Amino acid sequence: MADAPGAVGETPPALVPSRITSLPPEALGASALHRATLSGDPAALAFYRWSPHDPAHRAEAARVAAEAATARGARDAVADVLAEQNRAWGATDAVLDLVETLRQPDAVAVVTGQQLGLFAGPLYTIWKARSAVRLAARLTEETGRPAVPVFWLADEDHDFAEIQRATFAVGEAVRHVAYDDGRPPEADRGPVGRMVLEEAATDAAIRQLADALPAGPQREEALRLAQDAYVPGRTMRDAFAALFRALVPDIVLMSADDARLKRLAAPLFVREATAWPDTLARLAERSEALAAAGFHIQVTPTPVNLFVMSDDARTPLDPVEGGGFVRRGLEEELSAEDLLARIDADPASISPNVVLRPLLQDTLLPTAAYVAGPGEAAYFAQLGPVYEAFGVPMPVIEPRLSLTLVEPGVAKVLDRYGLSVPDLGAGAVDAQQRLHALWRRLALDATDLDLDATFAAATSAALAAVDALEPVVEEVDGSMTSAVAAARRKVEKALASLATKTVRVEKRHHDDVRARLARAQAALWPEGALQERSLGPLGVVARHGAHALTELADAVPLDATLHHVVHT
């Protein structure tokens, strides 16, 4: 579908995909565990409490989650915080109504979440949110139970290097935009959500974005959305939330970095502080079982799944001999009593790691289902015994929708050369190697000369001629055998060099082929990564408008067992 012209601020027409096809997950290099889970293999599903393939399991998981949340008695307290947070982030009345729904004793949540990637992170962050919205609607339709989609802002994460860049494809180029505050990306800045946007770094990132966004009739809209959200003096969390709200307007946003919510979750922290050896043993046992079943281990079990957090640091706790803990990399030690006192006095300073974060989420929310990417789903395969130990119901782990968007120009390249999406990237160790190999094949196919066969025949004939001379030379002087072998190597090397040069010249004659392939690869596999894992959503907004993200994601079947290729 061609881009429709329109003035800045004018609502562009609805975007209907021209074609949707699907690929199996193995075509894109999915792990054995992910493939087995998507196919419904009992050996994989045994590591989860519920099957995402069974409506009866979904209904029962919802019942258990609703009853557990009501028994905990925190529905109103959580809803009060969510209402306040979402009003601050520009929620519509419809979203605030969803927050109110969570107060109902039979209501459940369908949750997903992600780190606070610059300018809304990679595209799959949007696909996760759209998956949660659609799965919540399906759960309500199946059970009659109100289900609310919730997006968990992973704002306590301290890995700044993972969130500081946004990526866009423009022609053959892959362009990066970075928030650079002058410190090394790997430096601990504390929870990234609390970072206050600095004027110089923010202005520079916006300027880079203006240069990196692809051309399109809604390019100014994309830039305006970023400028409205990423304002100096605002926190990284609030900036992300403001932009995400504009891109996914129909989901509840949630930050657990709130003293009121941490107070509700304090018993979770107390149990880990006092019974971490049990958590470690359960994780280790489950991990060994996964490995024995032929699946990979996503997270290595370690002691004490807690961090101590301040505005400028988030440090893990390590146990020390004889009891007590030490903040890793620091000299600060805490006795067991000190840690419990800290949890009681200031639970907001305690943060869960990847093992306990899902349990925090499902302690605060009536989570019937969690929408996970492949890596997250693998984490959950290890967590069943931990959920049991903490007395928290484990939700259904629903795989997220997986999409690749194919613009018309890219589709023409694929169709012209008979290529599929995996041909340009899946399984390639190096994206440039894959591009070069494709270019060579297509360039040779485009010529009437079969250069490979021609040079192979010539080389064979030349070497045969040298071989025929060998007995003659030996009869003249038997010591000249090595000279014949050397001549043979020189002939072979000279012809190989000539073949390489000839193919190189032929490829130059077909440089337009290389350029087309490079543009398609940048759009589908930027720097060797699958599009949804690398490119930012504002690139789609620039071409089609913010509404297109919803329209494209909602146009595909609600089937996460396949990867959907969506032609725009």
Side-chain angles (χ1 to χ4, degrees):
M1 177 176 292
D3 291 330
V8 175
E10 179 180 331
T11 301
L15 181 60
V16 179
S18 62
R19 176 163 47 117
I20 298 175
T21 58
S22 298
L23 295 168
E26 56 266 25
L28 302 173
S31 71
L33 178 61
H34 189 54
R35 295 196 308 270
T37 303
L38 294 182
S39 69
D41 184 347
L45 295 181
F47 292 99
Y48 301 92
R49 181 174 181 182
W50 312 103
S51 167
H53 305 284
D54 189 338
H57 276 220
R58 292 196 291 267
E60 182 62 9
R63 182 192 67 78
V64 171
E67 291 182 357
T70 300
R72 286 193 294 269
R75 283 184 179 272
D76 286 337
V78 173
D80 288 343
V81 175
L82 291 181
E84 179 183 303
Q85 289 180 348
N86 281 267
R87 276 194 294 268
W89 296 325
T92 62
D93 289 342
V95 168
L96 296 176
D97 288 343
L98 289 174
V99 172
E100 292 305 304
T101 298
L102 287 171
R103 300 181 190 273
Q104 300 176 20
D106 61 340
V108 294
V110 175
V111 185
T112 193
Q114 193 59 37
Q115 294 165 288
L116 309 183
L118 183 66
F119 299 131
L123 273 165
Y124 73 77
T125 308
I126 304 294
W127 307 153
K128 290 175 78 173
R130 296 271 21 117
S131 299
V133 172
R134 295 181 65 185
L135 289 167
R138 184 183 71 178
L139 186 59
T140 296
E141 182 179 346
E142 289 178 345
T143 66
R145 182 187 297 277
V148 175
V150 177
F151 188 92
W152 181 281
L153 302 171
D155 52 354
E156 293 183 13
D157 190 276
H158 64 282
D159 197 339
F160 177 75
E162 288 190 359
I163 65 100
Q164 74 156 155
R165 296 200 315 177
T167 302
F168 304 91
V170 181
E172 299 179 33
V174 176
R175 298 178 179 174
H176 298 292
V177 177
Y179 180 88
D180 183 1
D181 60 3
R183 300 174 61 194
E186 64 275 9
D188 185 1
R189 294 161 172 79
V192 295
R194 296 183 186 180
M195 287 177 54
V196 177
L197 295 176
E198 299 174 4
E199 184 172 4
T202 305
D203 290 348
I206 293 293
R207 288 195 301 272
Q208 291 176 40
L209 179 65
D211 291 337
L213 282 173
Q218 305 304 320
R219 193 174 185 279
E220 290 304 313
E221 178 194 3
L223 188 58
R224 176 183 56 78
L225 290 174
Q227 290 171 325
D228 289 348
Y230 285 78
V231 177
R234 183 175 277 177
T235 64
M236 188 70 78
R237 175 189 62 196
D238 290 347
F240 178 95
L243 179 55
F244 203 76
R245 168 62 62 226
L247 302 180
V248 188
D250 49 352
I251 196 167
V252 174
L253 303 181
M254 179 175 186
S255 166
D257 189 12
D258 183 289
R260 295 162 294 181
L261 296 180
K262 289 291 184 67
R263 174 65 61 191
L264 294 172
L268 184 80
F269 303 147
V270 169
R271 189 193 189 283
E272 179 64 8
T274 55
W276 64 262
D278 179 63
T279 306
L280 178 61
R282 289 170 180 265
L283 273 175
E285 183 178 1
R286 172 56 66 91
S287 299
E288 290 171 4
L290 268 169
F295 302 126
H296 73 286
I297 307 303
Q298 186 70 19
V299 59
T300 301
T302 56
V304 196
N305 297 288
L306 296 173
F307 291 86
V308 173
M309 192 167 63
S310 60
D311 285 344
D312 58 358
R314 182 174 181 253
T315 53
L317 288 173
D318 292 323
V320 295
E321 189 175 348
F325 309 91
V326 63
R327 295 180 66 179
R328 188 180 303 168
L330 303 176
E331 296 182 358
E332 180 182 350
E333 291 194 18
L334 298 170
S335 68
E337 294 74 17
D338 290 338
L339 179 57
L340 293 176
R342 184 167 194 149
I343 293 172
D344 181 62
D346 186 17
S349 68
I350 305 299
S351 178
N353 75 350
V354 68
V355 170
L356 285 194
R357 191 214 61 77
L359 280 83
L360 172 62
Q361 159 196 293
D362 301 332
T363 296
L364 297 172
L365 292 167
T367 311
Y370 183 82
V371 180
E376 286 177 300
Y379 284 128
F380 279 96
Q382 295 175 256
L383 296 185
V386 180
Y387 270 91
E388 292 174 7
F390 280 79
V392 179
M394 187 174 187
V396 180
I397 307 305
E398 293 275 4
R400 66 167 172 82
L401 290 170
S402 182
L403 283 71
T404 290
L405 305 181
V406 182
E407 296 287 340
V410 174
K412 288 179 181 178
V413 174
L414 297 181
D415 293 342
R416 178 170 185 167
Y417 299 115
L419 300 174
S420 67
V421 170
D423 288 333
L424 285 160
V429 175
D430 183 280
Q432 289 303 311
Q433 289 178 358
R434 173 59 62 93
L435 179 64
H436 181 83
L438 275 174
W439 180 30
R440 185 179 190 280
R441 174 171 68 79
L442 294 172
L444 293 180
D445 287 348
T447 180
D448 293 333
L449 300 173
D450 188 343
L451 294 180
D452 283 342
T454 300
F455 274 97
T459 300
S460 178
L463 296 179
V466 175
D467 291 342
L469 290 172
E470 184 173 5
V472 177
V473 173
E474 288 182 345
E475 185 174 343
V476 173
D477 187 340
S479 67
M480 294 183 67
T481 301
S482 60
V484 175
R488 194 181 196 281
R489 288 194 298 271
K490 288 180 180 179
V491 169
E492 190 172 19
K493 182 177 179 180
L495 289 174
S497 176
L498 182 59
T500 298
K501 291 177 181 178
T502 304
V503 169
R504 186 183 301 135
V505 171
E506 183 66 16
K507 285 195 296 186
R508 287 199 198 105
H509 294 162
H510 299 280
D511 192 60
D512 56 337
V513 176
R514 184 210 60 78
R516 293 187 193 109
L517 292 175
R519 287 195 296 271
Q521 188 181 63
L524 302 177
W525 293 90
E527 299 178 330
L530 189 61
Q531 178 196 87
E532 64 179 18
R533 301 197 64 82
S534 182
L535 297 187
L538 289 180
V540 179
V541 175
R543 291 188 177 96
H544 305 292
H547 65 104
L549 293 165
T550 294
E551 292 162 353
L552 293 169
D554 290 3
V556 305
L558 189 55
D559 178 4
T561 65
L562 296 170
H563 180 85
H564 303 286
V565 180
V566 182
H567 293 252
T568 62

